[in-house]
Amino acid sequence: MAHWFHRNPIKASAPVSFESIRNIATNPSASKILADLRQSRSRLLSLLTDPANETTSIQNAYEMYFSLLVGLVNDPGGAGDSKLRKLIVFKWTNSICGNTPTCEADSVFELMSMCMNIAMWYTKHAAKVAAKEDISMEEAKEVHSCLRTAGGLFQFVKDSLLPRLGNTSAEKGADVDTRVIEAYRMQCVAEAQEVTVARAVELKHKASLISSLANETASLFTSAGDSLKSVEPSKAGKWRKYLELKASFYLAYARCFQGELLLEAEECGNAIKALQESQKSYEKAETLCKEYASIKGPGTTARPQEHPFFKRIGPLMRTRLEKATRENGFIYFHKIPAEPPELEMKATFGLASPQEFNLPAPFSLWTDAYAGFDVSKAQPPKSTAGAGEDIKPVHEADDKGPVKPAKNSSGCVVQ
């Protein structure tokens, strides 16, 4: 497959002392659950730094932490918000806004931030697996599943958590920004469809299916990029350029296979026009690749125009255009239209969708622990304490730092 994806840095978090509410814990279960929260949070954050970890390890770790955290978010008995929801301060950086954290005394903010980090880990794991030159069917399925899982987490954040947060102190372009979350969600779906397109090409499916899938994928990348239009270029410029180049690349794909389909149908003039449009989109993507490589900002260091995923379609497109032009000159003598033929806008099958995410049930210890917290003794937390202090970025296992990428077959350093 040897696919290449842009990835933003994982979010960093300040250590959380759940001990800050130990003074209101009046029974052993309440004290025990605070210790378990601290331990499970630390373990999960540690695992998320390495995209090579197994998905089962990540899932087990976040299900354990979320089963504990949910008691701080929701009343374990189902009576609305937890009485503990706004008693602990959480500090998280934002994926495209540098190292200054957003600080909120709200466990919903913690749940949202952790969901986003887990989703980003799934996208990084998918990128690591997809970067292989020879990828098995099971690995392709894993990439597809990881991207759908990530998309579902972003969807959950957007639909279920953001409405509960209300006004926050975050800067524009932060991860609580609907535009940012929507861009992440649509990118995940678009990349999952990339896997489908690659598989369809490999299995030599009908050109009509490949063309329509590629067109849908291009549309998703375009929509994801459009959602970032009003975000400052210093924060989202590099990310948006990636989305634009992928949109142009898959539009070239769509036109290329449309040209093949039209040539088979002996509509040679239309085939030539479609392939000429494919060439234009490919050349635009090539320009965007070079611009992406030169832009400074959060995200992956890469030369996408040197990557196999980008190089493969060029010869295919040129060969088909030469064949169509040659056959038109010898056989058909069709007039080449001024406007390209319409692309099919909706694939009949093969479209990806986010995998629905649901929180686990509260950990069994909450049955005794929740009643053991006496909130009448709680002191209001100071959510602005230390808000201006930067948090060190997460050192990710594949992070090569600001070095110039070595020349290799991928032209890419996945971060």
Side-chain angles (χ1 to χ4, degrees):
M1 184 181 291
H3 270 41
W4 167 75
F5 305 116
H6 169 99
R7 294 293 178 253
N8 291 325
I10 201 166
K11 294 157 63 67
S13 178
V16 176
S17 174
F18 293 96
E19 297 293 314
S20 61
I21 59 170
R22 181 173 286 278
N23 65 313
I24 68 169
T26 62
N27 66 23
S29 293
S31 298
K32 173 76 164 56
I33 214 159
L34 295 178
D36 290 347
L37 274 162
R38 185 178 65 254
Q39 183 179 12
S40 62
R41 184 181 197 266
S42 178
R43 179 172 181 269
L44 175 56
L45 287 173
S46 176
L47 287 172
L48 293 176
T49 63
D50 189 352
N53 283 327
E54 296 292 330
T55 56
T56 51
S57 298
I58 298 298
Q59 183 175 352
N60 290 339
Y62 77 67
E63 286 183 348
M64 182 68 236
Y65 180 55
F66 283 175
S67 71
L68 294 163
L69 179 64
V70 73
L72 300 181
V73 174
N74 303 320
D75 184 316
D81 285 356
S82 170
K83 63 185 179 183
L84 307 170
R85 174 180 162 181
K86 297 191 176 183
L87 295 182
I88 301 172
V89 177
F90 298 94
K91 300 177 184 180
W92 284 89
T93 61
N94 297 284
S95 56
I96 60 172
C97 295
N99 302 323
T100 302
T102 298
C103 305
E104 295 290 338
D106 193 338
S107 294
V108 172
F109 175 67
E110 163 74 355
L111 178 58
M112 185 218 77
S113 300
M114 196 65 86
C115 279
M116 291 195 70
N117 246 19
I118 294 163
M120 292 173 72
W121 179 88
Y122 273 107
T123 68
K124 288 171 184 265
H125 181 73
K128 188 174 185 66
V129 176
K132 297 179 181 180
E133 186 65 35
D134 296 315
I135 186 169
S136 68
M137 169 69 82
E138 289 306 310
E139 287 171 325
K141 286 180 179 178
E142 182 180 9
V143 173
H144 192 262
S145 175
C146 283
L147 292 168
R148 291 186 64 224
T149 299
L153 281 157
F154 288 124
Q155 186 85 55
F156 175 73
V157 167
K158 179 185 175 185
D159 294 347
S160 301
L161 300 182
L162 272 186
R164 297 180 66 180
L165 274 181
N167 295 325
T168 70
S169 58
E171 63 181 294
K172 291 182 179 179
D175 292 332
V176 294
D177 190 325
T178 305
R179 299 168 299 174
V180 171
I181 294 174
E182 182 63 3
Y184 275 125
R185 186 192 70 82
M186 285 190 287
Q187 178 180 339
C188 288
V189 178
E191 290 175 351
Q193 285 192 190
E194 283 193 76
V195 180
T196 304
V197 172
R199 188 64 180 161
V201 172
E202 182 183 346
L203 295 178
K204 295 180 169 52
H205 281 296
K206 291 181 179 180
S208 58
L209 174 63
I210 297 171
S211 178
S212 59
L213 279 172
N215 188 38
E216 291 284 352
T217 305
S219 179
L220 280 166
F221 277 120
T222 297
S223 296
D226 287 347
S227 72
L228 297 173
K229 274 185 177 179
S230 56
V231 179
E232 293 89 332
S234 61
K235 298 174 183 176
K238 193 176 186 71
W239 183 13
R240 189 176 171 211
K241 192 68 67 175
Y242 160 80
L243 298 169
E244 290 174 352
L245 77 85
K246 278 293 183 83
S248 291
F249 175 79
Y250 278 98
L251 186 56
Y253 237 111
R255 288 293 185 188
C256 181
F257 281 89
Q258 182 190 42
E260 178 187 333
L261 179 67
L262 292 167
L263 190 57
E264 289 174 354
E266 298 185 351
E267 296 182 34
C268 209
N270 281 332
I272 290 172
K273 187 62 179 179
L275 290 162
Q276 287 174 342
E277 291 298 311
S278 177
Q279 190 169 35
K280 287 181 185 178
S281 294
Y282 184 79
E283 289 170 354
K284 180 182 178 181
E286 193 170 33
T287 299
L288 290 168
C289 281
K290 293 174 182 177
E291 291 175 359
Y292 173 90
S294 66
I295 292 177
K296 293 182 179 179
T300 310
T301 301
R303 300 185 185 96
Q305 70 275 16
E306 297 177 11
H307 197 283
F309 97 93
F310 186 81
K311 288 182 171 182
R312 284 172 184 158
I313 192 176
L316 182 67
M317 175 188 59
R318 285 188 289 270
T319 299
R320 288 176 180 171
L321 180 56
E322 289 169 2
K323 179 183 179 182
T325 303
R326 185 171 58 250
E327 292 191 7
N328 198 47
F330 279 101
I331 304 170
Y332 299 105
F333 306 104
H334 290 170
K335 182 180 178 181
I336 300 171
E339 297 296 325
E342 289 290 326
L343 280 166
E344 187 175 337
M345 292 302 295
K346 195 72 176 177
T348 53
F349 58 90
L351 298 177
S353 61
Q355 177 66 49
E356 184 180 0
F357 174 78
N358 294 296
L359 284 173
F363 191 62
S364 58
L365 196 61
W366 273 113
T367 303
D368 296 324
Y370 192 71
F373 286 102
D374 184 357
V375 294
S376 67
K377 299 178 181 179
Q379 296 294 321
K382 297 180 180 179
S383 62
T384 57
E389 299 173 5
D390 284 3
I391 298 176
K392 290 183 179 180
V394 175
H395 177 72
E396 300 180 48
D398 277 355
D399 189 354
K400 303 296 190 297
V403 297
K404 185 177 180 180
K407 290 184 178 180
N408 53 42
S409 61
S410 71
C412 176
V413 176
V414 179
Q415 294 184 329

